[in-house]
Amino acid sequence: MRHFVFSLFALLLACGAQAELRVFATVPEWAALARELGGDRVKVYSATSAFQDPHRIEAKPSLLAQARQANLVVAAGAELEVGWLPLVLRDSGNAAIQPGRPGYFEAAACVDRLEVPSVVDRAHGDVHAAGNPHIHLDPHRVQKVAEALAARLAEVDAPNAATYQANLKAFSGKWQAAIARWEREGAPLKGVGVLVHHASFTYLTHWLGMKELGTLEPKPGIEPTSGQLSGLLARQQAAPARMVLRTAYNPEGPSQWIAGKSGTPAVLLPYTVGGTPAAKDLVGLFDDTLQRLLQAVR
């Protein structure tokens, strides 16, 4: 009997040790942040990779299965996932992760956003009413999201609140030191003009003081046209950009066309965690981004 009780107690301890908080993150950057803050208390699933356009994802059964088991959804918000996440949440049957519940978290809601339109008109392309959703490329905004996410993790998993706050403290110390280094290293980029495939880098260029001189897309979400590219090429004479930026999921053809015609470097940036081999985590994301930008202006 004594052996049975001991075995049962050991089994309960083992089950308790495995009771991780399940986090469903919509994009790799917020999955990475959840891992930083949650440590071994969380099991994080990223619904997308760096090689997928987060605007254009299908609500596949595999996503429903993950959402059904989740304790917390961490979304970018600002309508980035509007084409698929509402369907996943609805069809998951998981009441805990619906908008308005503690199990649903939007990163964009934690910060002020750039490019908030005064008028929303779909004739202007894929315009986000809540502003540009790609907030993760400003490290100061990442810090604000980290603070809010740590608080939410503590709310959803109250017995481990102290762990999440300790992890936030460790992350913040590392992150603030990295920001100081990045801003020092990135000083030569101030005022540098760039062309971008899509408005994916608005927060990055705003943070570094760079100037976006045009987009390869004629309207947000509309693939580049020959007319748009020719117009940008003509403008290079009067207001030359120093580089053309794209993500890992953007087609390389349009930026390579501009590069070939103008001699302007076409630069692939990781955009998110996993976008390049060096961008293995959030610090690596910014380290590699800065190195690629600086190499292009040399």
Side-chain angles (χ1 to χ4, degrees):
M1 180 67 179
R2 182 178 180 183
H3 177 72
F4 171 80
V5 171
F6 179 81
S7 299
L8 180 61
F9 180 68
L11 178 62
L12 290 172
L13 283 178
C15 291
Q18 294 171 0
E20 301 157 309
L21 191 75
R22 290 180 175 269
V23 177
F24 178 106
T26 60
V27 286
E29 58 267 24
W30 303 130
L33 182 61
R35 292 188 184 99
E36 290 272 3
L37 300 175
D40 58 9
R41 287 296 315 142
V42 299
K43 182 176 182 179
V44 181
Y45 171 80
S46 180
T48 60
S49 77
F51 304 99
Q52 293 175 287
D53 184 343
H55 300 86
R56 302 173 180 177
I57 301 298
E58 293 182 27
K60 294 182 178 180
S62 58
L63 296 184
L64 295 177
Q66 291 291 335
R68 193 170 292 124
Q69 302 175 54
N71 305 109
L72 176 65
V73 164
V74 179
E79 299 184 347
L80 179 69
E81 307 96 342
V82 68
W84 60 275
L85 184 59
L87 295 174
V88 170
L89 296 177
R90 184 195 69 191
D91 294 347
S92 72
N94 186 344
I97 60 171
Q98 301 304 313
R101 301 293 299 272
Y104 180 79
F105 177 91
E106 282 193 357
C110 305
V111 300
D112 63 301
R113 293 169 298 283
L114 302 175
E115 299 179 341
V116 179
S118 56
V119 177
V120 178
D121 185 346
R122 292 302 178 186
H124 297 157
D126 186 14
V127 177
H128 297 283
N132 189 306
H134 307 287
I135 65 169
H136 68 284
L137 289 178
D138 176 352
H140 295 287
R141 286 177 168 87
V142 171
Q143 176 65 42
K144 291 182 178 180
V145 174
E147 293 165 4
L149 182 55
R152 184 62 61 87
L153 287 165
E155 180 182 358
V156 174
D157 184 20
N160 293 289
T163 297
Y164 300 126
Q165 288 304 311
N167 290 346
L168 171 64
K169 184 177 180 180
F171 171 79
S172 298
K174 173 181 70 175
W175 196 246
Q176 293 303 318
I179 289 176
R181 174 171 58 82
W182 293 326
E183 291 182 345
R184 185 171 60 252
E185 292 174 353
L189 297 169
K190 188 173 183 179
V192 170
V194 299
L195 298 175
V196 297
H197 186 104
H198 175 77
S200 305
F201 302 108
T202 300
Y203 292 90
L204 176 69
T205 56
H206 184 267
W207 167 52
L208 293 172
M210 304 175 76
K211 296 179 180 180
E212 291 194 12
L213 302 179
T215 59
L216 306 194
E217 295 177 338
K219 296 178 182 179
I222 306 299
E223 289 302 316
T225 63
S226 58
Q228 176 72 359
L229 297 178
S230 296
L232 291 173
L233 183 62
R235 284 166 48 189
Q236 281 288 89
Q237 303 299 321
R242 298 281 298 278
M243 63 188 87
V244 188
L245 307 180
R246 70 176 179 92
T247 71
Y249 61 79
N250 293 139
E252 66 175 352
S255 58
Q256 291 291 351
W257 186 88
I258 291 282
K261 295 290 185 178
S262 67
T264 304
V267 182
L268 167 66
L269 296 182
Y271 171 71
T272 188
V273 174
T276 59
K280 296 178 180 179
D281 54 20
L282 287 168
V283 171
L285 167 63
F286 282 91
D287 279 345
D288 195 41
T289 296
L290 264 293
Q291 288 180 19
R292 288 168 180 258
L293 289 173
L294 290 168
Q295 183 176 4
V297 296
R298 290 188 185 117

